[in-house]
Structure formats: structure tokens, C-alpha cells
Amino acid sequence: MFKSGFVTIVGRPNVGKSTLLNLLMGEKLSIVSNKPQTTRNNIQTILTGDNYQIVFVDTPGIHKPKHKLGEYMVDSAKNSIKDVDLVLFLTTPDVEVGRGDKFIIEQLKQQKAPIFFVLNKIDENTQDRVAKTLENYSKEINFNEIIPISAIKGKNTDKLLELMVKYIPEGPKYYPDDMITDVQERFVIAEIVREKALRNLSQEVPHGIAVDIIQMKQDKSGKYNIEVDLICEKDSHKGIIIGKNGQTLKKIGETSRYEIERFLKNKVNIKIWVKVRKEWRDNSLYLKELGYKK
Ligand SMILES: Nc1nc2c(ncn2[C@@H]2O[C@H](COP(=O)(O)OP(=O)(O)OP(=O)(O)O)[C@@H](O)[C@H]2O)c(=O)[nH]1
Ligand SMILES: [Mg+2]
């Protein structure tokens, strides 16, 4: 019997949704950083086994939006729980159920699919804390399964996969075996640059950053010439991104190039232009242009 289904991963920002997705896929497809609100779009990936195919949806962290971009992100995540076969609700050991998670649980109560309570980051928490969190969350809603994991260490994630296969229905293979994602090459490249920017910048700047690919050409030798706009919100941020003697921008460029080369399996030349667009996160037209569509 072949089984297939859509499985969405939801939770607050920074709980490790994208880390878990990458681990399950065995490949990095969704960017990860230690800053909340890293993922901005629903990212669909496809895991095909001998007797199953799971279509995962990684989603932006659900939070209280402060601008139109945030609204788009939260709407994307909320919409992902409609019409799926299984929901993975991810959180971390916090003992008390916070307001953010209470809000998500309210959303989960309004849908019919089975829900797994996946408690991540058990590697950095005591057993006692894990146990108390499990107990408190279980009072809020009836979960079909409760699975403590560490996405970074790959702890208990085999068990999680096994349970997912158990819960998804009998169904067809939706996608060919070799297809692992529905996102475009250009999207992956823009995301890699955004990740490197997030990782090389301090707290204040990253949230207001976007990446727009303005050119991508391959020469005869196969080498890619890529030009991107790195968009920020303030002149002062532009200075921070460029850094002293251009050091920060150089580092963003080098680390991006390295990873894009691995992704494209070809040599890459990358030019990054830093641009300021005041309050772009509240500009509908501009959000559309960047692919954050309503
Ligand atoms: N210690 C520990 N850290 C983890 C684990 N899983 C993820 N992290 C870290 O948590 C941070 C956030 O991880 P992400 O995967 O980007 O989290 P996310 O839920 O996708 O975040 P958003 O996209 O912002 O909603 C990163 O610094 C990860 O390295 C884990 O199992 N243990
Ligand atoms: Mg993420």
C-alpha cells in the first residue's frame, strides 16, 4: 500500500521548524538563523520513500504582525493548516503555555487533521523541564501524538517520521521521485543571500532585509554571473551592512557565493548592491514585487 499526504510544520518563530524540515529532507532547502522570523514564505518540499510520499510545508513563525510583510507571513502559516493531512505543532520546552502558543492552539482547534505535538530542542533542556512542558501543553488540546525531539542532533526524528507515515492516508504519488521542492532556483539563491546577511548582522538590521535577484546569467564555461539588490530600510542600516572597509558585505558575498556554488554545482560570481527602500515592509506594491504576494 502506498501512502501520501501533506504535512505542515507550524509554530512560533525560532522554534526550529526549518531546521527540522532540512533534517527530514537530508538537504538544506529552508534557511535557518538564530533570529526570529527567518522564514517568510510557505516552502513546500517532497520526501519520497519506498512506500510513501510526504509533502512538507515549512511555514513562517506565527507571531503578532507589525507590518504588511508580517501579515503576509502569518497568513501564509495560518493557511497552511487548512486542507492538510497532518499538522506538526512545534514548540520548545517553556513549561508554561505562552500567549503565542495559546493563539496557535486556538487555530489548531479549528481544523480537523491529526496534530502531533513536537517538542524541539530537548538537547538544551532538562528532562524535568521537558516533562513539565509536555504535561502543561497536553491540558490545552488533545494531541494525537507527543514527540520530544532535537532537530539539531537528529534525536527521535526517525520515530517522528515513522509516526507521520502511519498517520497519512493511502494515496498516490503526487510528484516524481526526483522532485524535492516546488520553489524556483532564483528563490533559493535569494534566500541563501538573505541567510548570510542574517547571520552576519546584528539584531537591529536583519528583519528589514530583502533580496532581489536582478540578473542571473551563465557564460560559456558554465559560470554564473549573479547580481542582487540587498534591500534595507534605513541609510544607517546600509552602513552597517557594508561595514568597516566593506568587510561585512564582503563576508556576506563570500559565504553566499560558496553556498550558491554548491547549490548550482558551478562557479559563481556574485555582486551585491545595497539599496535603501524606506518602510518597504509596509509597501504593498513593493512586497508584491519581492514575491510576498497576497
Ligand atoms: N539547541 C537546539 N537548537 C536548535 C534546534 N533546532 C533548531 N535550533 C536552533 O534554533 C534557531 C532557529 O532555527 P530555525 O530552524 O530557523 O527556526 P524556525 O522555527 O524555522 O524560525 P522562523 O523561520 O523564524 O519561524 C537556530 O539557531 C537553530 O540552529 C535543536 O534541536 N536544538
Ligand atoms: Mg524557519
Side-chain angles (χ1 to χ4, degrees):
M1 179 178 61
F2 197 84
K3 300 182 98 178
S4 60
F6 285 75
V7 176
T8 188
I9 310 173
V10 294
R12 281 179 291 115
N14 222 29
V15 295
K17 299 178 293 299
S18 302
T19 305
L20 175 64
L21 176 95
N22 291 339
L23 180 105
L24 292 166
M25 291 300 300
E27 194 157 346
K28 189 176 147 192
L29 293 163
S30 194
I31 65 168
V32 168
S33 88
N34 61 2
K35 313 216 167 43
Q37 299 171 34
T38 296
T39 305
R40 287 180 178 163
N41 310 71
N42 287 353
I43 294 169
Q44 199 164 300
T45 68
I46 304 132
L47 183 68
T48 308
D50 288 340
N51 58 346
Y52 67 87
Q53 185 169 66
I54 297 176
V55 183
F56 290 112
V57 190
D58 184 20
T59 66
I62 295 178
H63 62 283
K64 208 171 181 185
K66 295 198 179 75
H67 38 68
K68 287 204 178 100
L69 172 63
E71 284 166 21
Y72 165 80
M73 288 161 60
V74 174
D75 283 350
S76 301
K78 282 207 253 173
N79 284 332
S80 81
I81 58 178
K82 292 175 191 155
D83 300 324
V84 284
D85 299 293
L86 176 64
V87 178
L88 305 189
F89 167 47
L90 217 73
T91 192
T92 49
D94 296 315
V95 184
E96 299 297 329
V97 186
R99 267 164 68 187
D101 275 346
K102 281 211 164 129
F103 177 77
I104 298 171
I105 289 167
E106 284 314 307
Q107 310 292 312
L108 295 179
K109 282 180 182 163
Q110 294 166 31
Q111 59 87 50
K112 290 198 188 78
I115 305 164
F116 286 7
F117 180 58
V118 182
L119 190 61
N120 190 30
K121 305 197 186 182
I122 58 168
D123 56 288
E124 57 174 25
N125 286 277
T126 61
Q127 272 186 4
D128 181 50
R129 203 173 152 86
V130 169
K132 281 192 179 126
T133 307
L134 294 177
E135 193 188 319
N136 284 341
Y137 275 74
S138 300
K139 288 179 199 151
E140 298 285 325
I141 180 173
N142 211 350
F143 297 111
N144 296 73
E145 298 287 345
I146 293 174
I147 312 132
I149 64 158
S150 165
I152 272 202
K153 299 243 157 95
K155 198 160 182 236
N156 234 2
T157 47
D158 286 348
K159 175 83 185 157
L160 172 61
L161 183 61
E162 201 179 290
L163 285 168
M164 285 191 269
V165 175
K166 186 176 154 195
Y167 274 76
I168 56 171
E170 193 175 342
K173 204 179 262 186
Y174 294 106
Y175 297 98
D177 284 336
D178 57 354
M179 187 166 168
I180 54 167
T181 179
D182 72 334
V183 298
Q184 308 272 323
E185 211 168 57
R186 287 172 87 97
F187 175 80
V188 176
I189 292 164
E191 287 286 272
I192 290 172
V193 179
R194 195 162 64 82
E195 183 192 75
K196 301 313 167 201
L198 285 175
R199 290 186 176 197
N200 283 290
L201 295 165
S202 56
Q203 296 297 333
E204 180 199 5
V205 190
H207 291 309
I209 274 181
V211 175
D212 194 12
I213 300 200
I214 50 176
Q215 187 187 292
M216 186 167 153
K217 275 192 196 144
Q218 213 172 358
D219 68 18
K220 283 194 194 111
S221 69
K223 184 175 189 166
Y224 285 88
N225 283 299
I226 300 171
E227 284 186 40
V228 309
D229 280 348
L230 186 55
I231 294 136
C232 64
E233 289 192 313
K234 291 179 187 164
D235 292 319
S236 60
H237 288 177
K238 182 173 174 174
I240 296 171
I241 294 168
I242 292 170
K244 209 174 161 197
N245 299 324
Q247 283 301 316
T248 310
L249 186 59
K250 197 170 160 208
K251 211 163 161 213
I252 295 170
E254 276 170 4
T255 47
S256 299
R257 181 177 56 82
Y258 178 75
E259 195 164 320
I260 296 166
E261 283 184 342
R262 277 198 311 183
F263 173 67
L264 293 174
K265 297 183 179 66
N266 254 312
K267 288 266 175 226
V268 167
N269 222 337
I270 184 164
K271 268 202 196 116
I272 303 177
W273 310 100
V274 184
K275 300 229 165 111
V276 180
R277 291 262 190 300
K278 298 220 160 71
E279 293 176 9
W280 66 265
R281 286 184 292 175
D282 263 322
N283 182 331
S284 302
L285 209 71
Y286 204 59
L287 286 173
K288 219 170 220 172
E289 234 175 274
L290 289 168
Y292 302 120
K293 282 188 265 309
K294 275 266 171 188

